[in-house]
Amino acid sequence: MSNQELEAIGQDAACCPGLSAAPLDEEQAADLAKVFKALGDPVRLRLMSMIASRGEGGEVCVCELTPAFELSQPTISHHLKLLRQAGLIDCERRGTWVYYWVLPGVLDRLAAFLTAPQPAGAPA
């Protein structure tokens, strides 16, 4: 998958102004559905959490991810591939191991999309 394709899937900050700001158009809905579909699987959600917990700029080796699951290494790699295709993470091969990290701003953009503005005078 090319970087251009990844950018089309929720990487543009202007892509989605927020769930309650304006109705999504068809393309925005399709792009976000890919992201939420990728996160809709418990294994992928755990993988995303494990990678994201490394913090900004942090990365994790696939050798650290695989033992946390009772799944084969090829199955874990498949789940990681789906997260990459959704534009949530990226990776780099170093020797025999692959290292993964969350793409910058992805979680902030998802949070901003899901956050509804507080009505005036509402408790925070």
Side-chain angles (χ1 to χ4, degrees), residues 37-61:
K37 184 175 181 180
L39 292 174
D41 180 89
V43 171
R44 290 192 292 272
L45 192 55
R46 283 187 61 208
L47 285 166
M48 185 70 183
S49 174
M50 292 171 73
I51 297 167
S53 69
R54 295 299 172 111
E56 185 77 25
E59 58 188 21
V60 62
C61 179

Side-chain angles (χ1 to χ4, degrees), residues 73-85:
Q73 186 278 324
T75 300
I76 296 298
S77 291
H78 172 73
H79 284 295
L80 290 165
K81 175 185 165 187
L82 293 176
L83 290 171
R84 271 190 8 258
Q85 289 175 338

Side-chain angles (χ1 to χ4, degrees), residues 16-29:
C16 307
L19 187 60
S20 61
L24 294 174
D25 66 29
E26 197 171 317
E27 184 179 345
Q28 290 170 326

